[in-house]
Amino acid sequence: MTELSFDCTGVRADRRAAAPTLLFRLRLSTADPADRVHAVALRCQIRIEPARRDYRPDEAEALTDLFGDRSRWSSTLHPLQFAQVSHVVPGFTGTTEIELPVPCSYDLDVAAGRYFHALADGEVPLLLLFSGTVFAGAGGFRVHPVPWHKEAQVRMPVTVWQEMIETHFPGCGWLRLPRTTLDALLAYRSRHALPSWQQAVEALLAAAGDDPPPPPPTRHARPFPGTAARPLAERTAP
């Protein structure tokens, strides 16, 4: 049986992807540097471990919907499911490095999206859990599973997530509404001859007595510091 070890050395945003995508840099190594691996049908489950970082007061307030009041976090700050992806690793001998693409959602009804949206800075502790099938052997090949205990940790800078979202939704957010609600908003916008969805929402906020939101950033502004293209984020200590 070919013994594999896994390390995640960094995460970056894929600025050329058609949809929001993170690229996780993985290093796969065999116990014997001479071992030949023909391919790995790899499955990876990624979890957010929120208890492994600190939170500012404004971040804690934004996370109330997920974890409740901060006084309850000792019992509510449980791991969140982030993603589950599959990938075929090409053949290698000894060691190889690959980038694992992970499609992401900006839907704030999804717990992981809500969690990332609440963070202003710092790092996100992630746990990668591996499974799958290994095809290995010098003459012919052997087939055996990736043991369930194989895992890796990485701390992804929050700016990586912000860069990814800013690339695909510059200066904007995303909101999902039922079709009936959307039809009602469209009818309201038509009745009041409002030229955009933004002005329709602002009119409703004004009618409710709330302060209007600040003007959006200019088209070329970057609301998040550090969202320019950045090199691979190296792994840091937990």
Side-chain angles (χ1 to χ4, degrees):
M1 179 172 174
T2 301
E3 182 72 18
L4 285 178
S5 62
F6 297 83
D7 291 292
C8 183
T9 59
V11 191
R12 67 181 179 92
D14 187 351
R15 298 180 64 86
R16 296 179 177 84
T21 302
L22 293 174
L23 296 174
F24 286 73
R25 188 74 177 178
L26 300 181
R27 180 186 297 122
L28 286 71
S29 304
T30 60
D32 183 347
D35 278 354
R36 173 65 180 168
V37 175
H38 299 291
V40 181
L42 186 65
R43 293 189 298 273
C44 180
Q45 181 182 156
I46 305 175
R47 293 179 183 172
I48 302 168
E49 297 194 306
R52 292 178 49 221
R53 63 157 282 166
D54 296 325
Y55 299 90
R56 300 179 350 185
D58 56 329
E59 294 174 332
E61 182 179 357
L63 290 169
T64 301
D65 287 349
L66 285 179
F67 304 120
D69 187 78
R70 195 163 194 162
S71 62
R72 301 176 52 216
W73 281 13
S74 60
S75 59
T76 62
L77 213 61
H78 299 306
L80 298 174
Q81 179 76 5
F82 175 33
Q84 187 159 333
V85 294
S86 300
H87 189 76
V88 176
V89 180
F92 64 95
T93 300
T95 301
T96 189
E97 291 194 2
I98 63 166
E99 284 191 317
L100 178 69
V102 177
C104 301
S105 170
Y106 192 34
D107 187 349
L108 297 184
D109 288 335
V110 177
R114 189 67 175 269
Y115 177 83
F116 285 120
H117 183 75
L119 303 182
D121 54 24
E123 297 174 326
V124 180
L126 299 174
L127 178 65
L128 286 70
L129 304 169
F130 300 103
S131 60
T133 305
V134 180
F135 303 87
F141 62 87
R142 303 181 303 274
V143 180
H144 60 83
V146 175
W148 282 88
H149 67 273
K150 295 296 182 179
E151 60 184 45
Q153 295 181 352
V154 66
R155 299 182 72 90
M156 181 183 76
V158 173
T159 52
V160 171
W161 176 269
Q162 293 171 342
E163 175 191 344
M164 178 190 68
I165 295 303
E166 181 66 12
T167 297
H168 293 276
F169 306 105
C172 301
W174 189 91
L175 185 64
R176 183 179 64 182
L177 296 172
R179 187 177 299 277
T180 53
T181 304
L182 189 62
D183 290 343
L185 279 174
L186 181 59
Y188 175 86
R189 175 180 168 182
S190 299
R191 286 197 307 271
H192 294 271
L194 298 170
S196 68
W197 289 110
Q198 178 182 339
Q199 289 181 321
V201 173
E202 289 176 351
L204 288 170
L205 290 174
D210 292 338
D211 294 332
T218 59
R219 181 173 179 177
H220 298 291
R222 291 186 178 275
F224 301 116
T227 55
R230 52 187 289 131
L232 191 69
E234 295 299 325
R235 180 175 180 177
T236 58

